[in-house]
């Protein structure tokens, strides 16, 4: 018995939950879990429902659409595996973690391919029997490089693009092709230390904590809705190298947590923020 | 506009959410937030609804009762302040934190009185202008001591009894007078180091982490449903005294967090566990 | 038997530890703990020694000075209580925590007085029997306001000035009177959200973590050497008010931890960073 | 320029640091970092010194021995890579993490081989080009099974045996062959939930936190000196399976942290505790 997940967001008004669950009841499905939230400032309603049972998809969505405000966004997806493509550069830690979890069916997603602008990680990807596409950026304009990447991505039928330490800035044109579908792991607590060499910056500033932020990429690389953040303590004995290793460990951990939330359809994007039912 | 909180638990069956929210819609109240959970093993349904609006309480509960399975437990309470009595012994840290939060209206509850089996903390309580009842246990049987305490408690019209480092073991007879109403902070991760001198035990064992557990007291002192737990790191340089100080800090923090959850009616007790909508 | 604490920093060179501990051995004191660290980039040596025993202070320092490079900074202090003055504004949480710890001899410091630019906290301070100086800033130039504060501070013979949510920006002139002696708690992870209304900023950005930073104030208010940082998780259900409460809780915790380190002479300031032997 | 690490533990007495660092000074080596600690209860002295430079090893140790109490334990080791053998069973998460870190030279140790009582993990180990020894336990007495394992281990010249979720209880006879050389990751906070099915136990108890403990195995499997502990928060929505996944994540993290400490010679074992200079 496969679980289905229904995500609805729309302007709030009285009776929404009664209306929606009433329709689900008519379709004879069995609600497993249900969460709602109303963002007061924007008067916006969010609902996530997990349910099982046999039903016809089209009529259900039509009934829901008819009952809800016209601005409603309705997303019905199987709880089954998502399909993803991973972009990487030279650093292995996040990619290796995804490959291992994928190999043992713990990722909640199927990795269709890895695309990278360096060849460094090809042997690692091949160890796990997955396709690796090398798309060099040298001697290419950003536009043509991104077109090459997009051409490969679009060969696959995917739900999400995961940037596992992909170190090139993506243009708004590229990003706008995949709205709310690109997930990045950032080397710091946003909005601090946004620039290059974040660990050198952190070391110079003498911070006592190193963080990482997983977020959607919707426009500028490091500015989208935040999904997960975490930290790891450091101290004066940590040089640049040790801070970087601490950073890698927390990045890997935060990306895994964020992807678990995204792949289980627990995350709504709302403006530049997320609503997460965890 | 006062918020109301409705807590329902009952055996799960199809249509529960539709039925409940349908009734709320008939009563013209405005749902602010709503959470449901089904515990699969026991097939048990939990729902917490926060709503505002004017309505008649009796008819609403009657309608709900009629629509729900006979085993349903329905609790409707105002979101307003709870009333509590605090029991303490000699240690000040948890009590002082509660007194300060109470003084600045941050506790989410009104402290009606403090009862203690030592006089140590009387000056502290009087600083904040609250009644202090000294009920010595020396020369008293446990039964008669507990009767004296219960006599005082029962003078007050209260929702919860908070044990803020009250160090006497309470008898099952006493505890059964206040089912799901007594909250304790325990000096360790349950179920570890249950006995006396937990910090000496932790020190001897060379632990790297000190924890604390806030829980309901429903039968034996340290065995009830867990509400919140947290930890604080320690190391070999921490002697018994420093471990105790670390323990105090984490106890104070965990008790405050647990009470926030309890006072906002976010906690269901279900068997020996809790379901918490946070 | 009182413990003494010796802090030395100087350019690194071979034989420093042997020389210093050799001298201590000659003076017949008993080393309880000892920590050294060499900052490689600056080739700078740090040593903290805790020892007990009877000895003459002047000759010891003379011997050490003679044996060490001329740039050496030698600080010998009793492990006993520090003396401090606390500056506050309207928010109570950090001040109340310090007052309670002080009242129960857990602070490691004696609070000589509280100075505030509002009268809000006067009753709280008086509950604990401490002097409260109200120094209003309205109608005063920053210069004259700071002179009034400095005049009061200078009446006391103190080791540190603690800013417990003192919300006025201090001028470089004021700060330079108390080098490495002013400790502040900042409402965020530095360097993020430096401006006003940090919780509104954090809420708008949809962060999943709220932090706090305790640091020395050596020039600009929020820029000095970091002593301690910590975080508390938040989510989309936290509005501005709940984020602020979470922020208060973590600020109080971080300030207490930083002060414990400072009062036990565990912190060296080195450029804009700290070396902490914890 | 290779770093060397000197670990000394002995009964405390005045002048130890001066004596030791004086000898190091005579040998013309350059101290990089130095830590001491005295365990008061046992009056026991610990010192870890990292230094560089050319020197003759035998004479240095002889000089140190002559200057120290007869009970002194002196360990001089190169800071270079340790050599280890890993024991595993069926679970992949800790082993995979070690293999990836090893592959990218981040482990601080060379994995010489993996030994397992199941064949499950053989393909994973072979992906990374390492020897895999399958030593089945079925139909074998514990004694003969352990002899087979020891025979393989003893072929290698190793510093440590790492139990990466090796699920067989080791006999005291086996353990005593490798004193302070076996490191285990335990599926919980010791001493809680020591038995089988710890996540089922944790789920039944409704814990809000899942922990893991890395420790030396010196006698009974789950009782040795603790090296590192950490936790991950869980809640009522986590079933047995999700708690297990959370447990895996924290186990992997804690084992990696403990091994980093051990491989950099930062850990002293003292009775049933550890002294760690981090």
């Amino acid at each position: 018995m496969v679980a289905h997940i229904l995500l609805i967001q729309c302007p709030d008004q009285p009776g929404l939950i009664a209306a929606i669950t009433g329709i689900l009841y008519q379709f004879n499905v069995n609600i497993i879990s249900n969460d709602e939230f109303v963002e007061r400032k924007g008067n916006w309603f969010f609902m996530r429902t997990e349910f099982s049972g046999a039903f016809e998809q089209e009529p259900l969505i039509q009934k829901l659409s008819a009952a809800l405000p016209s601005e409603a966004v309705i997303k019905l997806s199987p709880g089954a595996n998502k399909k993803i493509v991973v972009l990487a550069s030279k650093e292995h830690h996040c990619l290796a973690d995804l490959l291992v979890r994928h190999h043992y069916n713990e990722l909640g997603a199927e990795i269709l391919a890895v695309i990278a602008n360096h060849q460094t990680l090809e042997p690692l990807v091949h160890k796990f029997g997955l396709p690796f596409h090398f798309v060099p950026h040298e001697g290419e304009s950003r536009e043509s490089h991104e077109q090459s990447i997009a051409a490969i991505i679009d060969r696959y039928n995917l739900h999400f693009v995961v940037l596992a330490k992909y170190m090139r800035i993506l243009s708004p044109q590229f990003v706008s092709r995949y709205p709310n579908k690109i997930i990045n792991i950032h080397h710091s607590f946003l909005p601090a230390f946004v620039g290059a060499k974040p660990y050198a910056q952190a070391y110079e500033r003498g911070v006592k904590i190193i963080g990482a932020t997983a977020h959607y990429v919707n426009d500028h690389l490091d500015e989208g809705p935040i999904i997960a953040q975490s930290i790891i303590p450091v101290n004066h004995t940590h040089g640049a190298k040790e801070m970087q290793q601490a950073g890698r460990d927390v990045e890997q951990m935060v990306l895994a947590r964020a992807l678990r939330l995204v792949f289980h359809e627990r995350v709504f994007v709302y403006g530049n923020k997320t609503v997460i039912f965890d």
Side-chain angles (χ1 to χ4, degrees), chain A:
Chain A
M1 199 169 56
V2 176
H4 299 267
I5 297 167
L6 175 67
L7 299 186
I8 292 172
Q9 56 169 299
C10 63
D12 190 32
Q13 62 183 43
L16 283 176
I17 303 172
I20 297 166
T21 56
I23 291 170
L24 288 169
Y25 184 53
Q26 290 165 29
F27 276 75
N28 245 325
V29 302
N30 187 29
I31 294 180
I32 296 164
S33 81
N34 207 42
D35 292 279
E36 299 92 21
F37 176 69
V38 175
E39 156 74 41
R40 306 289 193 87
K41 240 171 147 180
N43 194 42
W44 206 258
F45 171 85
F46 301 86
M47 178 166 170
R48 179 189 185 274
T49 308
E50 213 169 310
F51 60 88
S52 60
F55 66 99
E56 280 178 273
Q57 200 159 320
E58 274 307 299
L60 173 61
I61 287 182
Q62 279 170 21
K63 273 256 175 164
L64 288 169
S65 294
L68 294 172
S70 59
E71 302 93 326
V73 182
I74 302 170
K75 181 178 180 188
L76 179 60
S77 52
N81 265 0
K82 300 300 176 219
K83 293 181 194 310
I84 66 170
V85 163
V86 180
L87 266 65
S89 288
K90 287 178 176 175
E91 286 179 272
H92 65 276
H93 56 289
C94 287
L95 178 61
D97 187 64
L98 299 184
L99 291 171
V100 169
R101 289 175 192 270
H102 176 256
H103 187 71
Y104 288 102
N105 284 316
E106 293 174 351
L107 186 60
E110 187 183 344
I111 300 177
L112 303 174
V114 176
I115 304 173
N117 59 330
H118 294 274
Q119 284 185 286
T120 322
L121 298 169
E122 183 162 15
L124 177 68
V125 173
H126 284 166
K127 275 188 210 311
F128 290 92
L130 290 174
F132 180 90
H133 302 277
F134 170 46
V135 185
H137 64 272
E138 283 181 29
E140 299 283 329
S141 69
R142 181 185 299 183
E143 201 184 353
S144 93
H145 182 241
E146 289 186 347
Q147 276 175 354
S148 306
I149 290 177
I152 298 174
I153 289 177
D154 295 345
R155 270 189 241 160
Y156 295 100
N157 188 11
L158 54 75
H159 298 91
F160 296 103
V161 174
V162 176
L163 309 184
K165 302 300 291 174
Y166 180 71
M167 300 306 278
R168 303 270 300 168
I169 290 171
L170 296 168
S171 71
Q173 287 71 37
F174 181 90
V175 168
S176 65
R177 297 172 68 112
Y178 310 101
N180 294 341
K181 288 190 167 181
I182 308 179
I183 291 140
N184 186 43
I185 179 71
H186 185 82
H187 52 232
S188 173
F189 268 136
L190 293 171
F193 301 136
V194 172
K197 299 206 178 181
Y199 299 115
Q201 285 185 58
Y203 175 75
E204 287 306 322
R205 191 65 186 80
V207 299
K208 303 304 183 191
I209 272 174
I210 291 281
T213 299
H215 63 100
Y216 288 97
V217 183
N218 278 341
D219 190 1
H220 299 296
L221 181 57
D222 296 326
E223 294 282 330
I226 295 172
I227 306 165
Q229 300 186 293
S230 191
I231 58 108
I232 216 166
V234 293
N235 62 43
H236 66 270
T237 67
H238 291 74
K241 205 185 145 200
E242 285 87 356
M243 285 209 176
Q244 191 164 31
Q245 183 62 54
R248 279 178 192 156
D249 287 359
V250 71
E251 284 171 356
Q252 172 179 333
M253 215 161 61
V254 170
L255 182 59
R257 191 193 310 164
L259 293 181
R260 194 175 302 147
L261 294 168
V262 169
F263 295 159
H264 287 86
E265 299 282 5
R266 298 188 169 280
V267 186
F268 288 87
V269 174
Y270 171 64
N272 200 36
K273 300 206 282 188
T274 56
V275 167
I276 300 182
F277 293 127
D278 187 13

